[in-house]
Amino acid sequence: MSLAARLALVRTQIAEAALAVGRDPAEIRLVAVSKTFPVEDVRAALEAGCRDLGESRAQELVAKAEALADRDPVPRWVFIGPLQSNKARDVARYAHELQSLDRVELADALQRRLDAVDRTLDVLVQVNTSGEEAKSGVAPDEAVALARVVAAHDRLRVRGLMTIATLGGDEAETRRCFRALAETRERLRDAAIDGVDSAELSMGMSADFPLAIAEGATTVRVGTALFGRR
């Protein structure tokens, strides 16, 4: 199956999942997770109609962004992996969105680097709803406090929250993780923090994005179902 055919299938599945719970499929943004795949595959994704591309390594983001800088429209690069503060310069220069903001030190580093290149960056606060120690992200009850601090950085625009469900969890556990993120968003909305837009809920990947949509996802991050196994 070609990438274009796989993309059409994923979009059909997104629409079916949305309609099943009375949602408009147009509300759901697809981030094509292109991490570890070569530039040629990314070009194919762009030709098929993808716009938002997910990367998780700073060096790979730089290489692909530079290789595809002549594209019209320019790809929208979404950084989705853990980010070390010493790699903030690359994300500040090339990314349009960071979905893995999980600490004040990273916000500070991004602010400095964004100042240097006179850019702003959309960010999502990553929330560890599964409670797994190996995962990045703040605990759900710490997300509002972090968003409040991040909002004081004028180069960072808080757009919502991101999570990854329990690895290998059953449907009930997966839904619990997604529901926890939606509940965290409600607390963020209730906090009414100046400069914080809490609309985005980025949750759901190739194996579970229909469940995420059922629980309110506005963005799904799909790699394997589009590009194949790594």
Side-chain angles (χ1 to χ4, degrees), residues 48-84:
C50 293
R51 174 75 194 286
D52 291 53
L53 299 169
E55 294 292 332
S56 64
R57 299 173 184 168
Q59 185 175 359
E60 192 174 354
L61 167 67
V62 172
K64 289 178 179 175
E66 290 183 346
L68 297 166
D70 60 345
R71 292 283 311 186
D72 185 19
V74 175
R76 190 173 185 277
W77 297 104
V78 181
F79 199 86
I80 60 174
L83 181 63
Q84 297 177 354

Side-chain angles (χ1 to χ4, degrees), residues 109-192:
L110 287 166
Q111 174 76 18
R112 291 192 299 271
R113 295 302 187 180
L114 289 162
D115 269 336
V117 293
D118 193 22
R119 295 185 74 223
T120 57
L121 182 69
D122 289 346
V123 298
L124 305 185
V125 171
Q126 182 171 354
V127 182
N128 185 347
T129 56
S130 71
E132 294 168 286
E133 293 184 3
K135 277 189 184 159
S136 301
V138 297
D141 60 1
E142 297 173 351
V144 173
L146 179 56
R148 193 183 304 279
V149 174
V150 174
H153 298 67
D154 64 351
R155 296 286 181 174
L156 302 176
R157 300 180 299 199
V158 180
R159 298 305 194 202
L161 306 170
M162 182 273 266
T163 200
I164 302 170
T166 301
L167 182 63
D170 60 15
E171 179 175 334
E173 171 61 12
T174 299
R175 283 182 176 270
R176 184 198 66 77
C177 291
F178 296 152
R179 197 169 297 125
L181 193 71
E183 292 168 355
T184 303
R185 181 176 64 175
E186 292 309 306
R187 291 195 294 273
L188 184 58
R189 283 177 169 167
D190 290 344

